[in-house]
Amino acid sequence: MKNETLAEKINQTLEELWLLLEAKERTYTNFQLNNQQYTLLTLIIRHPSSTPTALAEKMNITKSAISQQLVKLEIEGYIYRKQLPEDKRTFSVELGEKGLLYKKEMERFMQQVSEKYYASLSPEELTNFLSALQKLTKVIDKL
């Protein structure tokens, strides 16, 4: 197989895997969120107390777009804004009651996924796969 074809197949497989995981997650958690809101909540879980500016940078979208989604998530009770003591003009984004529920559901889903990984792949295969994905991430980040 040619290198270009192989790289294309890898990209397609990663996209398919991401779409499959996202669809399974949505079915499992049953929250009514759009793609940006799912991504935003995931970032807030992984990076607690982030500012809207930091979240916008991580998602590579404007602060205005983040603000719109944060307002919607706040109205629904997924997040709340907490003023930073060192700068009264800035606030961090924290998980609200629904956000904490979402986090618990995500953790349960990820536990099920992990169990499937370990049932189907050896620890060595998983380690090699993780290493390859980390290398690919660094390559793509340098583009």
Side-chain angles (χ1 to χ4, degrees):
M1 190 176 292
K2 293 182 182 178
N3 285 347
E4 297 85 25
T5 307
L6 187 58
E8 188 176 317
K9 288 280 187 195
I10 290 169
N11 290 341
Q12 287 175 350
T13 303
L14 287 173
E15 288 171 2
E16 290 169 9
L17 177 62
W18 179 76
L19 290 170
L20 181 61
L21 276 171
E22 186 176 80
K24 296 284 186 184
E25 171 194 320
R26 286 186 185 205
T27 301
Y28 182 85
T29 59
N30 202 25
F31 288 90
Q32 302 301 312
L33 300 167
N34 66 35
N35 289 341
Q36 279 191 338
Q37 291 167 338
Y38 271 107
T39 302
L40 196 48
L41 273 177
T42 300
L43 283 174
I44 294 166
I45 290 168
R46 291 187 181 151
H47 305 280
S49 302
S50 291
T51 63
T53 301
L55 293 168
E57 288 171 3
K58 286 182 186 346
M59 290 181 68
N60 197 27
I61 60 176
T62 66
K63 191 176 171 192
S64 171
I66 285 289
S67 293
Q68 291 173 3
Q69 296 303 326
L70 289 177
V71 166
K72 292 176 185 176
L73 289 171
E74 190 170 25
I75 289 169
E76 294 292 322
Y78 287 98
I79 58 120
Y80 67 93
R81 300 168 197 237
K82 182 178 176 185
Q83 193 173 40
L84 296 178
E86 64 272 7
D87 183 355
K88 301 292 184 200
R89 296 171 297 153
T90 307
F91 60 90
S92 65
V93 180
E94 308 293 336
L95 292 176
E97 190 175 320
K98 269 185 158 177
L100 292 169
L101 179 61
Y102 173 80
K103 180 181 177 184
K104 283 183 183 178
E105 290 292 316
M106 281 297 305
E107 288 169 349
R108 280 192 217 122
F109 173 73
M110 292 312 289
Q111 181 62 37
Q112 283 188 353
V113 170
S114 295
E115 289 169 7
K116 296 278 186 188
Y117 287 174
Y118 287 111
S120 302
L121 301 165
S122 72
E124 183 181 357
E125 288 173 315
L126 289 170
T127 300
N128 291 338
F129 185 62
L130 175 61
S131 177
L133 283 175
Q134 289 170 333
K135 286 178 185 177
L136 278 174
T137 301
K138 287 179 184 175
V139 167
I140 292 170
D141 190 39
K142 291 180 181 179
L143 291 177

